[in-house]
Amino acid sequence: MTDSPAAAQPVVEMEHVDKFFGDLHVLNDINLTVRAGEVVVVIGPSGSGKSTLCRTINRLEGINSGTIKVAGEVLPEEGRELARLRSRVGMVFQSFNLFAHKTVLENVTLGPVKVKKSGTEDAKKRGMELLERVGVANQAAKYPAQLSGGQQQRVAIARALAMDPMVMLFDEPTSALDPEMVNEVLDVMVGLAQRGMTMIVVTHEMGFARKAADRVVFMSDGQIVEEADPESFFTRPQSTRARDFLSKILTH
Amino acid sequence: MERLMQMLSDYNVLAAFWTTIQLTVYGAIGALVLGTIVAVMRVSPVAVFSRAAALWTNVILYTPLTLIAFFFAFGVLIKMNIRLLPEPPATLLDQHFAMGVVAIAVYHSSLVAEALRSGINTVPLGQAEAARALGLGFGQSLREVILPQAFRGAIAPLGSTLIALCKNTTVVATISVTEAAALMKSMIEFYSDLIVPIFVIMVTGFVILTLPLGMFFTWWSKRAAVLR
Ligand SMILES: Nc1ncnc2c1ncn2[C@@H]1O[C@H](COP(=O)(O)OP(=O)(O)OP(=O)(O)O)[C@@H](O)[C@H]1O
Ligand SMILES: [Mg+2]
């Protein structure tokens, strides 16, 4: 990492973002800038809006007011432009969401072939490299259901990486996994962070936050209540809400 | 026995079943194409499309096939004089046949659309989101991710629909298409002493057509099932 994160280009900029589900104010005046190479961990109680925040960044959820820019460009409304932008924002879901009827390798090559219009052979070659990198190259010909949860999630990461994303969004990537599989996924993510990938990660894994995050963002009731470097946040949380929350997750 | 041979030489049972098979094949292709379009419209984000598709499905699902067949044969063909085949070489009987195919396709499209919709519902929503997140458009997501799985999940109900369609082709006997049921009616009229053998012959014909279909679709739906 050569540049200090503060000097780098902003990749994601959220300004005064509000979002409602009916009467529920799920995102309340969110302001968040994530710069190239930064790793931001989003943490907070259930229902605080972490998933929604993630999902607005590639417009899987629309917003009611405010602006969201990716690489300096305001998110397009719908259609081709939006699809083009989404293709540069990688997303990894809690439930993996691999395409069940496609092999592991086909999962990874679908985006490059259909969206980026890469040649099939190139896509396969690059797909195998990525599967190698996340440690599941030997499973390339299998179907998702034949893999363990940890392997599936690593395939999902490779699938997102295949699009050469500018930023990767992770929504609780390890919380659906058996405990013994959590680390194999976190290791891949730490590796990505070290290679300089810009990442927004919703997770309660403090080990990961300490090891890889530049910043922790604490959300509660749709608001960003606190932002700090991981060490300060976990040892000296400023707000009562963060203290309450941390005392609850630390006792488990 | 002699009477039976006499009857079989008077009536071409095989030709009648051939007509049944043709009605089934063309009707099924039409129903599959139309039903797929309706199912896709049904899940499309455009409200007008999805409402139109829901209306189509529900109206047709609750309308008797006979009514639809009468509408196309006596309404569209005879009264409005709309002909689907170039004439000549097509005869008026061929025009009736074509309208029969249309009626069968239209009627069963609603069943196909419902089968596909149930298949689409077996595909977890997360996969559609993952496809969108990769940058695939609505059409690409459908083609690459949703429909291939939906069809596999819908093989069993589509098989039942095909069997029902094959049996329902008998309805077009009422619009002067000489398929199996029309032949049966006229055989009974002139060989009333052979009612039981006639019935057995016709039932056997339909069983030969539908039973293997049923077995094939059961086998296929197991084989193609998507591992989850
Ligand atoms: N599609 C939706 N329609 C209505 N309400 C929703 C929808 N999605 C989420 N919500 C509500 O919005 C709030 C924020 O949800 P969100 O999933 O963003 O929270 P979260 O912080 O990710 O929680 P968790 O830790 O449980 O995943 C919750 O109260 C949730 O019930
Ligand atoms: Mg969540």
Side-chain angles (χ1 to χ4, degrees):
Chain A
M1 284 189 235
T2 47
D3 290 332
S4 76
Q9 287 290 320
V11 178
V12 176
E13 296 162 89
M14 303 180 78
E15 283 167 20
H16 302 295
V17 171
D18 283 287
K19 159 121 193 126
F20 295 84
F21 281 124
D23 288 337
L24 187 67
H25 204 165
V26 257
L27 295 180
N28 186 348
D29 194 27
I30 297 288
N31 292 283
L32 179 69
T33 301
V34 180
R35 294 174 184 278
E38 248 193 317
V39 176
V40 173
V41 159
V42 181
I43 194 167
S46 180
S48 56
K50 307 178 299 290
S51 298
T52 310
L53 176 113
C54 249
R55 293 162 57 84
T56 56
I57 296 172
N58 63 359
R59 218 170 189 287
L60 284 180
E61 298 283 359
I63 57 176
N64 296 96
S65 62
T67 52
I68 301 179
K69 290 185 197 164
V70 174
E73 191 186 338
V74 177
L75 282 187
E77 284 286 307
E78 267 300 327
R80 234 174 261 281
E81 284 301 291
L82 178 61
R84 183 181 56 77
L85 192 122
R86 275 180 181 151
S87 73
R88 304 297 312 280
V89 177
M91 183 145 195
V92 175
F93 302 85
Q94 181 174 351
S95 49
F96 330 134
N97 296 345
L98 293 177
F99 307 131
H101 63 305
K102 292 193 179 287
T103 65
V104 162
L105 183 58
E106 286 165 352
N107 265 272
V108 178
T109 55
L110 180 69
V113 171
K114 296 293 165 186
V115 180
K116 285 206 302 186
K117 313 286 179 199
S118 312
T120 319
E121 286 312 309
D122 288 349
K124 275 190 189 162
K125 189 161 158 284
R126 172 106 168 91
M128 284 309 296
E129 282 167 19
L130 288 166
L131 290 175
E132 192 77 54
R133 191 158 132 202
V134 300
V136 286
N138 53 348
Q139 314 287 332
K142 290 193 184 164
Y143 287 89
Q146 298 171 293
L147 270 56
S148 73
Q151 290 171 325
Q152 290 191 51
Q153 194 59 300
R154 287 182 282 150
V155 173
I157 293 173
R159 175 175 70 180
L161 289 175
M163 300 302 289
D164 296 316
M166 301 179 287
V167 54
M168 288 274 284
L169 311 172
F170 295 83
D171 187 6
E172 305 208 32
T174 58
S175 52
L177 297 177
D178 293 335
E180 72 271 19
M181 292 171 188
V182 168
N183 280 328
E184 64 192 51
V185 172
L186 291 179
D187 288 347
V188 167
M189 292 167 58
V190 170
L192 278 181
Q194 283 166 350
R195 282 167 165 251
M197 176 61 75
T198 311
M199 294 162 65
I200 298 176
V201 185
V202 177
T203 184
H204 292 166
E205 295 291 336
M206 283 197 287
F208 172 80
R210 285 205 149 100
K211 210 184 288 179
D214 297 296
R215 231 183 332 150
V216 173
V217 167
F218 174 72
M219 283 187 76
S220 180
D221 300 320
Q223 289 172 305
I224 293 182
V225 177
E226 201 167 327
E227 264 187 85
D229 65 275
E231 207 47 47
S232 323
F233 179 76
F234 290 121
T235 51
R236 297 180 301 280
Q238 302 297 305
S239 60
T240 26
R241 280 193 274 185
R243 273 199 293 275
D244 281 354
F245 174 73
L246 284 176
S247 71
K248 274 181 206 135
I249 64 167
L250 290 175
T251 52
H252 287 308
Chain B
M1 200 63 205
E2 232 168 81
R3 284 278 290 161
L4 192 63
M5 295 320 282
Q6 173 69 40
M7 179 185 76
L8 291 177
S9 70
D10 283 0
Y11 292 95
N12 196 338
V13 177
L14 285 181
F17 271 107
W18 177 235
T19 305
T20 298
I21 291 172
Q22 285 175 308
L23 285 166
T24 304
V25 170
Y26 294 137
I29 293 171
L32 190 64
V33 171
L34 209 54
T36 305
I37 294 170
V38 174
V40 166
M41 283 171 63
R42 190 85 189 255
V43 298
S44 97
V46 185
V48 189
F49 285 171
S50 69
R51 278 204 215 115
L55 188 71
W56 172 274
T57 310
N58 287 320
V59 168
I60 293 191
L61 212 51
Y62 295 104
T63 305
L65 172 55
T66 314
L67 254 58
I68 298 173
F70 283 6
F71 171 79
F72 281 105
F74 306 128
V76 177
L77 176 60
I78 307 292
K79 290 293 170 207
M80 292 160 73
N81 202 22
I82 292 171
R83 302 191 168 206
L84 295 175
L85 303 173
E87 209 170 324
T91 62
L92 187 61
L93 271 182
D94 294 335
Q95 304 292 359
H96 274 100
F97 174 87
M99 285 301 175
V101 168
V102 170
I104 289 167
V106 164
Y107 178 76
H108 293 88
S109 71
S110 62
L111 295 169
V112 168
E114 285 300 278
L116 278 180
R117 196 161 69 103
S118 74
I120 289 173
N121 288 337
T122 66
V123 184
L125 195 63
Q127 288 189 41
E129 289 199 330
R132 277 198 287 155
L134 280 178
L136 274 78
F138 175 74
Q140 284 179 316
S141 302
L142 272 180
R143 261 198 319 279
E144 300 294 332
V145 176
I146 313 296
L147 285 182
Q149 295 186 67
F151 274 113
R152 289 176 211 212
I155 288 173
L158 286 176
S160 317
T161 302
L162 180 57
I163 288 168
L165 184 149
C166 177
K167 295 190 289 179
N168 289 343
T169 55
T170 50
V171 165
V172 301
T174 55
I175 57 168
S176 39
V177 177
T178 36
E179 46 63 74
L183 189 86
M184 175 171 166
K185 181 167 174 265
S186 117
M187 287 197 298
I188 290 176
E189 234 170 274
F190 294 98
Y191 289 85
S192 50
D193 49 324
L194 294 176
I195 290 174
V196 173
I198 291 169
F199 185 67
V200 170
I201 289 171
M202 299 323 277
V203 168
T204 309
F206 273 100
V207 168
I208 289 171
L209 289 184
T210 54
L211 192 69
L213 275 182
M215 294 190 327
F216 170 73
F217 272 89
T218 307
W219 169 81
W220 191 21
S221 82
K222 285 201 188 107
R223 213 192 78 116
V226 181
L227 277 175
R228 297 214 187 277

